[in-house]
Amino acid sequence: MTDKKGRVFVGARARLLIKGVKVGYARNCSGGESIDYEEVNGLDNIEVLEYAATKYRVRFSAGFVRLVGETAKTLGHFPRVGQNPDEHLSNILTSGELTITIEDNVTGNLIMTLEQAKASSNNFNIDAVGVVGRDMEFNAIRMRDESEV
């Protein structure tokens, strides 16, 4: 059992990068991948015949400390509103895809990579006493863990 000592991955070892750039004040992050299965049923049978895979989806969320002069829009993580509705729509439709990675800052190894990610929400929270935060959610095409990168 002693061969596992020092291999525990903790938050202090986690480095979050978006578009290859380290996020300086990341507070937390979470994500997951899921597969949806639909029942295949047939007449004259009370049991489900099989479960057919119909969707693979990846979700990711991250919380950041809000720095003055640095926003998700200035960093290119979320599309800008623009000057009018047409520009707003164009900014959303042409917003680029992001690569989000989590790496071990002790070994330099990649722990997780989210490919072809797009931001789906950009939120903030302000308390009377405390550090102002901003939270974002992302959808991605695929998520690879360290066994796949």
Side-chain angles (χ1 to χ4, degrees):
M1 201 73 173
T2 59
D3 64 327
K4 300 207 186 281
K5 284 196 174 235
R7 292 178 43 201
V8 175
F9 190 63
V10 297
R13 287 178 71 160
R15 180 180 296 132
L16 176 63
L17 298 100
I18 300 178
K19 298 190 326 184
V21 177
K22 179 185 172 199
V23 176
Y25 285 19
R27 296 182 302 153
N28 57 58
C29 62
S30 63
E33 56 189 337
S34 63
I35 301 169
D36 289 355
Y37 293 92
E38 189 165 325
E39 293 180 358
V40 177
N41 297 296
L43 298 176
D44 198 28
N45 192 334
I46 193 72
E47 296 178 346
V48 173
L49 299 172
E50 69 174 283
Y51 288 93
T54 58
K55 188 184 304 181
Y56 171 79
R57 89 179 79 188
V58 176
R59 301 236 192 260
F60 180 76
S61 63
F64 310 95
V65 171
R66 174 66 161 87
L67 301 176
V68 174
E70 184 176 284
T71 72
K73 294 176 183 183
T74 62
L75 294 170
H77 301 167
F78 200 84
R80 294 177 183 268
V81 172
Q83 298 302 313
N84 56 58
D86 290 337
E87 191 175 315
H88 189 190
L89 177 60
S90 177
N91 289 345
I92 292 169
L93 296 176
T94 60
S95 66
E97 296 173 336
L98 307 169
T99 299
I100 301 170
T101 53
I102 300 169
E103 65 182 27
D104 183 339
N105 66 19
V106 172
T107 65
N109 294 337
L110 291 178
I111 301 299
M112 195 71 58
T113 299
L114 292 99
E115 300 172 349
Q116 296 174 271
K118 289 199 174 232
S120 58
S121 71
N122 180 29
N123 305 292
F124 66 90
N125 53 63
I126 301 173
D127 294 319
V129 179
V131 174
V132 173
R134 63 182 183 87
D135 300 298
M136 294 187 70
E137 294 180 5
F138 301 86
N139 296 319
I141 299 297
R142 74 188 55 79
M143 182 171 78
R144 299 181 193 272
D145 68 19
E146 66 260 44
S147 72
E148 301 172 297
V149 293

